Structure formats: structure tokens, C-alpha cells
Amino acid sequence: TRNAAGARPFPLMYLWIFERPDSMCTQLVAHGWACLGPVHLLVSPEARGDAPVMRSSQDIGQAMERFASGSGRFNCPRFIDFEKHHSYLGYPINYLWCQGGVWQEAFHRTAERCDRYVVDLTTDERPTGLLLELEYLFNRVAVENIILLLDTSRADLDLVRDFVLETWAARDRR
């Protein structure tokens, strides 16, 4: 009934740049996100693994019906490096492998299920997909439910600051 922070577990969406070379096990398990509630994310078809690639709305719906939410001991998904944490205690990591044609629908449908959003902005370019995701979040989610992360040793800080501020300034002001 309580997560590692002593609060009610909450579904969390983790957004990241697919080309980032870091271990997702470190990002999701060792950094503690999987101890707060079920983690939902999108995965590039180029990542290794054995789950089916989402090709349609029906594929997305069927996969999301299988998303787990309760705490327990879990094996790291196959696309995560096994170097340190082949299993962990916490909440499940649910993911959708998305083709280019359906990733936006998969993002929207997954985002609708989440209460908190972690956005890893570690990049040295203006990734179109991440900009669309930020636009969605800034227009639909209370700012206190969005966590922006950045590895300052690898990101272009000026570029990231500029595109985050531009996206924030362009949000709907209803």
C-alpha cells in the first residue's frame, strides 16, 4: 500500500532519448524509479528484446491490458542490461515497443495512465519526439508532476535549456 517514499504507489512514465547509451537498469531500478510505482515507457524497435513490436491501435491496447501494477520481485526486461540487477524488488517496468507509425498514439495512451512523468533531457540535439512529448506534458500535466533530468556532463545545456523554455512558452494558456 506504500511505495519506497512512504506514499501511495503511482504510475510513472519515463521518457528518454533512445540513443542514450546508459543502462536502463541503472536508470529505472538503481536510481529508484521502480520503487515508487509501476514504470511505463516506450522502447525503440532497435532495442534488444523479445516483446512484440506495436504496429496498430489494437496491438497497443492488448499490450496495455497486460501492464502489471503490484509490487513484488521482477526480472529486468530483456532490453535492460543484466550486468548488476537481473531482478529487483519494487514495481513492474511496463513497456511498448513502437514502430514510427504508432509511437505517438502509444505515448498518448500510456501518458493518460500515469500520475508522474520523468523526462531525461540528456541530449546534444533537438529530438523531435521528445519535443512533442514535452509539448503534451506542458499542456496537460500539472508542472509539479513533471521531473526533468539532465546529465550535465553529456548534454548540450544551452540547447536543452532553449528548447525546454521555448516549449514551455508555447504551451496553451487556457
Side-chain angles (χ1 to χ4, degrees), residues 41-127:
L41 67 151
L42 306 181
V43 181
S44 166
E46 288 81 37
R48 66 177 183 265
D50 58 1
V53 174
M54 303 295 106
R55 299 181 194 287
S56 68
S57 293
Q58 183 178 2
D59 289 347
I60 295 167
Q62 289 172 348
M64 291 181 80
E65 287 175 13
R66 293 188 298 273
F67 277 9
S69 61
S71 63
R73 176 172 293 280
F74 297 94
N75 290 326
C76 290
R78 288 229 180 251
F79 64 89
I80 293 180
D81 298 327
F82 288 96
E83 74 272 0
K84 293 183 182 173
H85 306 282
H86 58 80
S87 68
Y88 65 94
L89 291 174
Y91 294 89
I93 298 169
N94 299 304
Y95 57 94
L96 298 173
W97 284 26
C98 299
Q99 295 253 79
V102 298
W103 80 265
Q104 288 185 29
E105 179 183 350
F107 165 73
H108 290 172
R109 289 176 68 176
T110 304
E112 289 171 359
R113 290 182 157 213
C114 295
D115 294 337
R116 304 287 192 291
Y117 306 83
V118 176
V119 185
D120 186 337
L121 298 167
T122 304
T123 186
D124 58 2
E125 60 185 19
R126 293 178 72 92

Side-chain angles (χ1 to χ4, degrees), residues 1-10 31-37 71 89-91:
T1 62
R2 299 275 180 209
N3 64 19
R8 175 188 62 80
F10 50 82
H31 289 171
W33 300 115
C35 293
L36 299 175
S71 63
L89 291 174
Y91 294 89

